[in-house]
Amino acid sequence: MPLPGNILVITADQWRADCLSALGHPAVRTPNIDALAADGVLFERHYCQAAPCSPARASLYTGLYQMNHRVCRNGTPLDARFTNIALEGRRAGYGPVLFGYTDQSFDPRSLAPDDPRLKTYEEVLPGFERLARFDEPAADWLQWLEAQGEDVSDGLGGVYGTVPRPFKRADLIPRFTAEHTETGYITERFLDFVGRQDSGTPWFAHLSFIRPHPPFSVPEPYNSMVPDELVDLPVRAGSPEQEGALHPFVRYVLGEVKSKSFVPGGGDRPVTDWSDAEIRAVRAVYYGMIAEVDAQLGRMIAGLKAAGAYENTLIVLTSDHGEMMGEHHLFGKLGYFEGSYHIPLIVRAPDGPRGGRVGKFTESVDIAPTLAEWSGIDIPLQYDGRSLLPFLRGEEPADWRRAAHWEFDFREVVSGRPEAALGLKLDQCQLAVHRGERFKYVHFAALPPLLFDLETDPGELVNLSGDPAYAAEELAAAREMLSWRQAMSDRTLTGIELTGDGPAERSFADRY
């Protein structure tokens, strides 16, 4: 069977769903992404299934919920028995290539004990051939920067500098130009690849952009692009102490989030110590970083059109997870919060609808089955998600999911800090979320649950769990979560029965 066309999967790391000007954000400017949405379908309630990077990407790549792939943290190995979008792409006849990173750890059972790949979580997902590398040391990008005439003599730390205390927006400017960002590097390498392709041979590429992931630092004109008056303060309780009173888990993580994870040279200063002015500066820079990614995406789409490849390419633009941006006095991606899990998704199919909007709940696990079905191959029974192709045909399935689900595992295998702080065992350091139309239920393995009425409390500030007035709603949400977990527990072989005539198999569509 001939391949239907090119596949381009783009992830922009740590990008909140609300940060699109197409959705009316007052400060963010994304004209190129808005244009892509106008030429495709924008999924307005799209959620990832886990955080941080490795667990989130494991769900995206394998089509599995975290309870099935069990990648709990950065550094948790991905079980070698699972297939993924790259391996399935090869089964369809593509030669999947990677520009950037996938943040997946190899299964130690499949390698020799002294294999160097067992010393990093930044290995390449099996099935991809990496054509441009970007990882934590950023050595390839630094080498490219030097070739562009930038000063990299002080290494990665030198190109970002060190912020003072307190810092302001102008302190969050790196020592390289807007043309030489990490996004620009990956975009240039990808456009070189496109220029070398035979127009008669469809390709499959994954572009994995690091931005708008920290450090929060961006060159001009993006640093000062957003006017101060458009940068609001985040939704949060009156103080970190009030925020922490909501739940023991919240109180614990408020003490764990440090400046060094977000601003260059920030050190161990807690982000809860940042002033309102510093928080506004970081939020403005985050919006500027998104504008920088948008500009490079515009350059990339123009390159696809110039090469005659755009019209024949399925484009998927999404993120691995979101970013708290100061909400609940937190930064990063963690916990049960909407800001960490509600992410963008735009899909542009060659023959799909233009300017479509989908308000149904969709999830990262839906990407893998979508790519499989579009490629013309059977959807693996491993996948927990559902194909989005009906939406890309302008249809709306009657039996689509009525809630989104995600999980967060906060274990620390080496340090054991959460266990000590919260009085838990290793496997008790986890939570799961049932996010319905109105109510959101958070179940902890060994801590009290949470219930939020998102209609009256969209900021998730008032815990209704245990309130007799909401007992029916809490019970219903807990039951629905239990039903979800029972139905979606690993199903790889459960639809097959061995008979006298050989294996009998039920179709994917009949499973759930």
Side-chain angles (χ1 to χ4, degrees):
M1 178 183 295
L3 294 171
N6 308 316
I7 295 176
L8 176 57
V9 178
I10 307 166
T11 53
D13 203 314
Q14 209 147 322
W15 190 356
R16 293 171 57 99
D18 58 4
C19 287
L20 291 173
S21 49
L23 293 177
H25 195 285
V28 173
R29 294 293 174 264
T30 52
N32 296 295
I33 297 171
D34 298 350
L36 182 65
D39 200 31
V41 177
L42 173 61
F43 293 83
E44 297 177 329
R45 292 203 291 180
H46 186 67
Y47 288 82
C48 68
Q49 269 55 74
C53 299
S54 295
R57 289 171 180 272
S59 288
L60 173 67
Y61 297 142
T62 67
L64 290 167
Y65 290 115
Q66 187 181 53
M67 64 180 176
N68 291 330
H69 65 62
R70 301 307 295 142
V71 176
C72 301
R73 304 293 294 168
N74 290 350
T76 305
L78 177 62
D79 195 318
R81 69 188 171 98
F82 295 131
T83 191
N84 61 62
I85 60 170
L87 292 174
E88 293 303 301
R90 291 192 178 277
R91 183 164 70 92
Y94 291 99
V97 294
L98 169 68
F99 298 82
Y101 58 97
T102 56
D103 277 354
Q104 297 303 296
S105 304
F106 273 106
D107 187 335
R109 299 168 299 181
S110 64
L111 300 174
D114 59 349
D115 194 302
R117 289 175 292 181
L118 295 180
K119 294 184 178 181
T120 176
Y121 73 86
E122 294 189 285
E123 279 298 335
V124 176
L125 186 74
F128 276 122
E129 176 190 2
R130 180 154 61 180
L131 299 186
R133 183 186 186 95
F134 192 94
D135 52 17
E136 212 163 89
D140 293 60
W141 173 57
L142 290 175
Q143 185 178 18
W144 180 80
L145 274 184
E146 188 172 32
Q148 311 309 309
E150 300 280 5
D151 181 6
V152 298
S153 57
D154 292 331
L156 188 59
V159 300
Y160 285 112
T162 301
V163 300
R165 178 176 176 177
F167 59 84
K168 54 187 181 298
R169 192 199 300 204
D171 297 318
L172 303 176
I173 300 177
R175 298 170 185 171
F176 51 86
T177 66
E179 294 75 27
H180 300 152
T181 61
E182 304 94 328
T183 322
Y185 162 66
I186 294 295
T187 299
E188 182 165 306
R189 296 294 303 273
F190 170 68
L191 291 177
D192 288 344
F193 162 81
V194 171
R196 297 192 306 270
Q197 299 312 297
D198 178 351
S199 59
T201 304
W203 44 260
F204 178 157
H206 174 27
L207 271 65
S208 184
F209 294 137
I210 186 66
R211 296 315 203 170
H213 187 285
F216 294 131
S217 178
V218 70
E220 294 290 10
Y222 304 106
N223 181 279
S224 59
M225 178 176 285
V226 179
D228 289 341
E229 59 269 21
L230 293 183
V231 184
D232 293 334
L233 286 170
V235 175
R236 53 189 178 170
S239 69
E241 291 72 28
Q242 288 176 280
E243 196 78 58
L246 183 73
H247 195 272
F249 169 78
V250 178
R251 184 165 58 250
Y252 166 69
V253 295
L254 281 167
E256 293 295 300
V257 184
K258 308 298 183 183
S259 298
K260 61 186 175 185
S261 297
F262 304 99
V263 294
D268 287 329
R269 180 189 178 195
V271 298
T272 53
D273 186 45
W274 290 359
S275 67
D276 286 353
E278 289 173 302
I279 291 171
R280 280 196 167 99
V282 167
R283 286 168 69 89
V285 166
Y286 179 74
Y287 301 151
M289 292 167 70
I290 287 174
E292 187 272 324
V293 172
D294 178 80
Q296 292 293 343
L297 285 169
R299 177 183 166 214
M300 180 204 70
I301 292 170
L304 287 173
K305 290 179 177 179
Y310 178 78
E311 292 300 332
N312 194 37
T313 302
L314 174 74
I315 301 175
V316 178
L317 173 62
T318 188
S319 183
D320 50 359
H321 50 68
E323 161 58 51
M324 291 301 294
M325 265 298 105
E327 291 176 351
H328 301 277
H329 299 274
L330 292 166
F331 283 82
K333 56 278 185 180
L334 74 166
Y336 52 83
F337 309 102
E338 293 282 305
S340 287
Y341 297 88
H342 189 194
I343 58 174
L345 175 63
I346 297 169
V347 182
R348 191 267 179 196
D351 297 321
R354 304 292 173 239
R357 298 239 177 155
V358 173
K360 298 284 189 181
F361 288 113
T362 58
E363 301 180 327
S364 289
V365 293
D366 298 333
I367 303 300
T370 302
L371 298 181
E373 185 178 7
W374 194 79
S375 299
I377 60 176
D378 294 335
I379 297 175
L381 293 180
Q382 166 189 300
Y383 289 168
D384 292 330
R386 296 181 62 182
S387 171
L388 301 173
L389 280 196
F391 296 111
L392 301 180
R393 294 191 292 259
E395 304 167 4
E396 189 169 293
D399 60 345
W400 196 257
R401 68 172 66 88
R402 295 174 297 179
H405 296 91
W406 61 87
E407 301 162 86
F408 182 67
D409 198 302
F410 47 96
R411 72 184 66 205
E412 294 289 350
V413 174
V414 176
S415 73
R417 287 173 60 83
E419 299 166 66
L422 295 167
L424 304 176
K425 300 291 187 181
L426 186 69
D427 288 328
Q428 293 176 326
C429 296
Q430 55 180 301
L431 63 87
V433 176
H434 173 89
R435 199 279 193 210
E437 290 286 346
R438 177 175 175 181
F439 290 96
K440 177 176 180 178
Y441 176 71
V442 185
H443 191 89
F444 288 82
L447 292 173
L450 293 162
L451 180 71
F452 300 102
D453 183 346
L454 299 178
E455 185 176 287
T456 61
D457 177 32
E460 304 173 80
L461 295 170
V462 180
N463 178 23
L464 300 175
S465 178
D467 185 333
Y470 292 91
E473 287 80 3
E474 182 169 13
L475 178 60
R479 284 174 169 172
E480 287 183 30
M481 175 181 285
L482 178 59
S483 295
W484 165 72
R485 292 187 72 90
Q486 285 182 314
M488 302 307 295
S489 183
D490 186 2
R491 303 174 298 158
T492 307
L493 298 177
T494 58
I496 299 173
E497 181 177 336
L498 300 186
T499 72
D501 296 322
E505 184 174 314
R506 291 288 293 274
S507 72
F508 181 85
D510 292 338
R511 303 298 296 279
Y512 178 64

